[in-house]
Amino acid sequence: MHQVMSRLVFADCRCETGASKTYEELFLKLDTNKDGKVDVSELRAGLTAMGINFKKGAVQKIISSGDQDKDEGLDFNEFSKYLKEQEKKLHLTFKSLDKNNDGRIDYTEVKQSLADLGLDISQEEAKKILQSIDVDGTMTVDWNEWRTHFLLNPATDLQEIIRYWKHSMVLDIGDSLTIPDEFTEEEKTTGLWWKQLSAGAMAGAVSRTGTAPLDRMKVFMQVHASKSNQISLVGGFKQMLKEGGVASLWRGNGINVLKIAPETAIKFMAYEQYKKLLTSDRGKVRTHERFMAGSLAGATAQTAIYPMEVMKTRLTLRKTGQYSGMLDCVKNILRKEGVKAFYKGYIPNILGIIPYAGIDLAVYETLKNAWLSHYAKDTANPGILVLLGCGTISSTCGQLASYPLALIRTRMQAQASIEDSEQLSMNRMVKKILEKEGFFGLYRGILPNFMKVIPAVSISYVVYEHMRSSLGIQK
């Protein structure tokens, strides 16, 4: 964020007459009232006049970080010191990318740097990123080219590119089978990882609460809808409102929100361990290794919190007065069915992780690579609409593939709570549904499930961004 100021030096004066003179010329240009300091309004006007775009709050942050005597402005010494510090940071970034220390960055080094951060791109994609920085057409970038382009276009910072792609999958659409979020070593050591996870968990909680009525309708249709008992969306909601009032639309939401935190924590810790076990090339995680580690981490987390999944289904489907609360639900299940009831539907649930996580990841990687190939000309920053689109489409495809297994799981979880219900195994239930309702019987309730995707993604994104700001996570 603060690098906006530093880029002006090279945007406005690219000559090699020494940093001091360059800083002085720029300072005099910005100090329009000639009082010996540059304040917020002068800096904002200067940036605008030079055609520099800046984010909300960027100008104030520049002044605050350089203002040592707290007089709400930068004198020439503070101004120079700030710019020198920024250039030092930029030089360190260049050095870390220049793997062979020849003073130039080529496309193989760009590709390797991204790979070290966990993002595999093709040779062509690496060349495109390099070409957007390369001024003299040599297909290599020297320090001056890197400095000038980076300062003019901070979005092409490789760390920022990787963060955009890695942290775009935090959006919660009510299913927790996605590959866990990944973090760079810097984020782990600075403690940013737990802030990211906390922001994601809060976003998931608000998102699930906002779309709970549609989620309850999905479960209701999965369990009760059939050819002989057609349940429409309007009819289903009327039935729920008549039976339990408006509050009944949020049944099961409490446990659905409560399970986010333990599941996220277990999945993240397990994922880190599985990555270490499965990664052949130290520090580099290939797509198939990421998929395997993610699937195993998802299975581990689901195994640990699965009793909460069963409780969520039972509480969602409960009739008025059936349970007084979560504890009463646990007592009832234990008394009538025993401990094994808490793992009903476990097998289809675990099996569902493979198609969900696999297709979600594959579609996401394909969409991401397609974007980089076709549109990464001036910047490799995809923008929020692209990220939301990639995440939404990939998660929806994953849901579509794993939905029949999710339906079987829910019916098995609900069996004992339905009067005169036959206790069926997974295979027998699949056969029964196919015989009585046909293939589309495995997709009962998919309409409300898809209806909640857009509002869930939107709510999740808004809350996530607010949480990031509150926790001090840099954009």
Side-chain angles (χ1 to χ4, degrees):
M1 185 71 80
H2 303 315
Q3 286 153 354
V4 175
M5 169 67 84
S6 192
R7 62 174 142 153
L8 294 181
V9 176
F10 304 99
D12 201 54
C13 182
R14 307 260 173 89
C15 54
E16 299 295 327
T17 55
S20 314
K21 190 177 175 185
T22 308
Y23 296 165
E24 189 178 354
E25 287 172 2
L26 183 61
F27 183 81
L28 291 170
K29 187 172 181 177
L30 291 171
D31 182 19
T32 50
N33 64 4
K34 307 303 174 191
D35 64 348
K37 70 175 184 178
V38 175
D39 59 24
V40 172
S41 59
E42 287 174 322
L43 181 56
R44 187 178 284 115
L47 289 172
T48 306
M50 291 172 190
I52 303 293
N53 294 317
F54 48 89
K55 291 184 181 179
K56 186 181 176 182
V59 176
Q60 183 58 59
K61 280 190 177 182
I62 290 167
I63 298 293
S64 300
S65 61
D67 184 18
Q68 293 178 321
D69 56 13
K70 307 300 176 192
D71 61 352
E72 297 187 352
L74 302 179
D75 60 32
F76 181 66
N77 286 334
E78 289 170 332
F79 183 79
S80 301
K81 188 176 179 185
Y82 176 82
L83 291 179
K84 282 173 188 170
E85 286 299 315
Q86 291 307 107
E87 193 171 336
K88 271 186 203 171
K89 289 176 189 174
L90 194 51
H91 197 255
L92 286 172
T93 310
F94 180 83
K95 292 277 284 181
S96 69
L97 292 170
D98 183 16
K99 304 286 184 187
N100 60 6
N101 296 314
D102 65 349
R104 306 185 76 82
I105 300 168
D106 60 30
Y107 72 87
T108 59
E109 288 170 322
V110 171
K111 191 174 186 299
Q112 181 59 47
S113 298
L114 283 168
D116 289 345
L117 291 165
L119 179 66
D120 281 320
I121 62 168
S122 68
Q123 187 172 302
E124 289 70 31
E125 288 159 356
K127 283 180 179 176
K128 281 203 172 183
I129 291 173
L130 189 77
Q131 280 168 348
S132 71
I133 309 170
D134 181 24
V135 177
D136 56 14
T138 59
M139 280 308 289
T140 59
V141 172
D142 62 21
W143 160 237
N144 285 327
E145 285 176 316
W146 169 257
R147 176 180 62 183
T148 302
H149 184 85
F150 178 77
L151 293 170
L152 284 167
N153 189 2
T156 54
D157 167 23
L158 295 178
Q159 285 280 350
E160 285 305 307
I161 297 166
I162 203 72
R163 277 197 189 124
Y164 262 101
W165 286 119
K166 279 186 175 176
H167 300 312
S168 61
M169 295 176 74
V170 298
L171 301 176
D172 187 300
I173 58 170
D175 290 83
S176 308
L177 305 180
T178 49
I179 299 289
D181 207 358
E182 283 190 72
F183 301 97
T184 61
E185 287 306 314
E186 178 199 353
E187 287 168 320
K188 287 175 195 170
T189 52
T190 56
L192 267 179
W193 66 272
W194 72 264
K195 289 184 179 181
Q196 294 274 18
L197 289 180
S198 300
M202 180 56 74
V206 178
S207 168
R208 290 183 187 195
T209 302
T211 57
L214 284 167
D215 191 61
R216 187 174 187 227
M217 175 56 70
K218 177 194 78 174
V219 175
F220 195 76
M221 290 172 82
Q222 282 179 332
V223 175
H224 296 299
S226 63
K227 271 190 176 177
S228 57
N229 182 29
Q230 296 284 349
I231 300 173
S232 67
L233 272 175
V234 176
F237 279 123
K238 279 182 179 175
Q239 202 175 322
M240 287 179 191
L241 290 168
K242 187 179 176 183
E243 195 275 327
V246 176
S248 70
L249 298 178
W250 275 266
R251 281 179 187 167
N253 183 58
I255 192 78
N256 199 27
V257 168
L258 271 178
K259 68 187 176 76
I260 294 173
E263 183 171 16
T264 303
I266 294 165
K267 191 191 284 186
F268 172 66
M269 289 186 284
Y271 184 51
E272 290 300 311
Q273 295 306 312
Y274 286 127
K275 270 200 304 183
K276 287 175 188 173
L277 288 170
L278 296 168
T279 305
S280 53
D281 187 357
R282 195 181 170 192
K284 182 179 176 181
V285 186
R286 294 183 179 87
T287 302
H288 72 278
E289 290 167 344
R290 186 169 172 240
F291 166 59
M292 286 169 64
S295 298
L296 287 168
T300 304
Q302 283 286 303
T303 303
I305 62 103
Y306 194 75
M308 296 175 85
E309 293 278 1
V310 175
M311 283 174 65
K312 183 240 173 183
T313 299
R314 296 292 180 92
L315 289 164
T316 300
L317 293 168
R318 78 182 187 274
K319 291 175 182 173
T320 303
Q322 189 174 350
Y323 306 120
S324 60
M326 291 181 203
L327 200 59
D328 186 48
C329 176
V330 174
K331 286 177 182 174
N332 265 274
I333 295 171
L334 283 172
R335 189 175 69 250
K336 291 178 183 175
E337 304 163 63
V339 177
K340 67 177 184 179
F342 286 106
Y343 279 88
K344 282 189 175 175
Y346 174 77
I347 292 171
N349 187 62
I350 292 297
L351 290 174
I353 289 172
I354 305 298
Y356 188 106
I359 289 170
D360 185 16
L361 181 62
V363 172
Y364 188 80
E365 292 283 327
T366 303
L367 291 172
K368 175 200 72 179
N369 288 331
W371 187 91
L372 281 173
S373 299
H374 293 97
Y375 302 106
K377 292 169 185 172
D378 301 321
T379 172
N381 172 351
I384 190 57
L385 286 176
V386 175
L387 295 177
L388 286 175
C390 289
T392 304
I393 294 166
S394 63
S395 294
T396 302
C397 291
Q399 280 196 348
L400 195 61
S402 64
Y403 193 85
L405 286 161
L407 181 136
I408 298 298
R409 174 201 69 194
T410 306
R411 286 203 179 181
M412 289 178 76
Q413 289 171 343
Q415 274 180 144
S417 63
I418 302 168
E419 287 178 26
D420 305 319
S421 173
E422 189 183 355
Q423 303 297 301
L424 300 172
S425 66
M426 183 178 79
N427 290 338
R428 285 181 63 202
M429 187 172 282
V430 173
K431 283 178 185 173
K432 186 180 176 182
I433 291 171
L434 289 172
E435 283 169 11
K436 291 193 171 183
E437 303 175 51
F439 176 75
F440 291 106
L442 294 169
Y443 283 88
R444 297 278 179 203
I446 199 156
L447 178 60
N449 191 56
F450 281 159
M451 282 176 69
K452 72 177 182 154
V453 170
I454 300 298
V457 166
S458 306
I459 295 167
S460 190
Y461 169 67
V462 171
V463 176
Y464 182 68
E465 287 303 305
H466 275 90
M467 283 298 296
R468 278 168 62 90
S469 299
S470 303
L471 293 169
I473 303 169
Q474 286 187 333
K475 300 266 180 179

